[in-house]
Amino acid sequence: MSIEDRAPAAPAAALEQSATTAQPLTGRWRFNPATAQWWWSEETFQIHGFEPHEVVPTTDLVLAHKHPDDRERFRDLFESAKVSGAPFHSMHRIMDARGHERVVTLVGQGRLDHDTGDVVELMGYFIDTTAPVAQRAEALAGTHIRAAAAHRGTIEQAKGILSVTHGLTIDEAFQLLRGTSNQHNVPVRDLAARLITLGRILPVDEHRRHAVNEFLRNPA
């Protein structure tokens, strides 16, 4: 999965959690830079694996639950938001209180003092996007698997053509195909597809072998 931080044009609108829908669990949060005090809604406690008000949220607690690989990047983003108050967005991993890894999206923005321009509060939403991310990853994996299966079928047909025209074993045919691919910097699947097209229009005779040889010498 790609984990990234970026600033949106504006913070996301409130996403209401419904027990009757499959919407991601969404919790609210607020932070006071002057006192370093946090406020979490019940949903935010749940996202972090706690019962509501089971613990007192602190910056150290928030950081402790970030995945080690994402912690420093989130810290930098949060420190910057405390100074600028600009809208921000982060998708990162956390380890909840039960030891489960979750993918969360955090959006927020600052509220500025009208007189000084200082950030007096940060506020926003925690969204548990673990399930949507997993579903997307599963869908992408299925796409790649289907594509790989299609490519394998094409390559198998090309190997069969080389086996017939050159009297090679299947393994030898693949070595020839791969060697030609490396030599001419043409992907094996593309080379195989072109070879199949050529094989369909040529008769099975010595002329076909000659044409295949010419193709392998210059497949571009």
Side-chain angles (χ1 to χ4, degrees):
M1 154 191 23
S2 178
I3 304 299
E4 58 181 358
D5 298 325
R6 60 183 183 273
L15 301 175
E16 297 298 332
Q17 173 68 18
S18 170
T20 61
T21 70
Q23 293 179 351
L25 181 64
T26 300
R28 293 170 292 146
W29 63 271
R30 293 197 299 269
F31 174 78
N32 185 324
T35 63
Q37 289 184 321
W38 287 78
W39 173 86
W40 283 359
S41 70
E42 292 186 359
E43 294 83 1
T44 300
F45 280 99
Q46 293 172 26
I47 288 171
H48 286 81
F50 295 108
E51 294 297 323
H53 312 295
E54 181 181 348
V55 296
V56 176
T58 65
T59 302
D60 286 343
L61 180 69
V62 170
L63 291 173
H65 281 280
K66 304 304 178 192
H67 190 283
D69 292 343
D70 299 337
R71 186 176 297 139
E72 289 306 313
R73 184 169 39 75
F74 176 82
R75 189 202 304 270
D76 292 343
L77 180 73
F78 191 69
E79 290 299 319
S80 177
K82 286 163 59 177
V83 174
S84 70
F88 62 96
H89 166 233
S90 173
M91 179 181 285
H92 55 270
R93 295 160 293 178
I94 67 170
M95 301 299 296
D96 72 17
R98 296 178 176 83
H100 300 144
E101 182 177 307
R102 299 192 185 194
V103 178
V104 301
T105 297
L106 179 144
V107 293
Q109 70 173 7
R111 181 169 62 85
L112 307 182
D113 184 279
H114 291 297
D115 297 324
T116 66
D118 293 337
V119 179
V120 295
E121 186 177 47
L122 293 176
M123 66 195 79
Y125 302 92
F126 271 108
I127 308 166
D128 185 354
T129 48
T130 305
V133 168
Q135 291 166 1
R136 182 170 182 269
E138 184 176 354
L140 286 173
T143 299
H144 291 315
I145 289 171
R146 288 190 294 272
H151 293 154
R152 280 198 300 272
T154 301
I155 292 170
E156 289 301 318
Q157 290 183 57
K159 286 158 58 176
I161 291 173
L162 291 176
S163 178
V164 170
T165 59
H166 289 66
L168 303 174
T169 66
I170 293 299
D171 287 342
E172 290 170 342
F174 180 67
Q175 292 300 324
L176 178 58
L177 194 63
R178 186 169 63 179
T180 303
S181 169
N182 293 337
Q183 181 180 356
H184 295 280
N185 195 28
V186 177
V188 170
R189 63 178 180 274
D190 293 346
L191 191 66
R194 297 179 198 174
L195 186 58
I196 291 171
T197 300
L198 180 64
R200 286 171 180 165
I201 63 176
L202 294 173
V204 183
D205 57 16
E206 188 61 28
H207 177 65
R208 190 186 201 194
R209 176 188 175 104
H210 175 74
V212 169
N213 279 332
E214 288 298 316
F215 170 75
L216 293 176
R217 279 195 286 270
N218 185 23

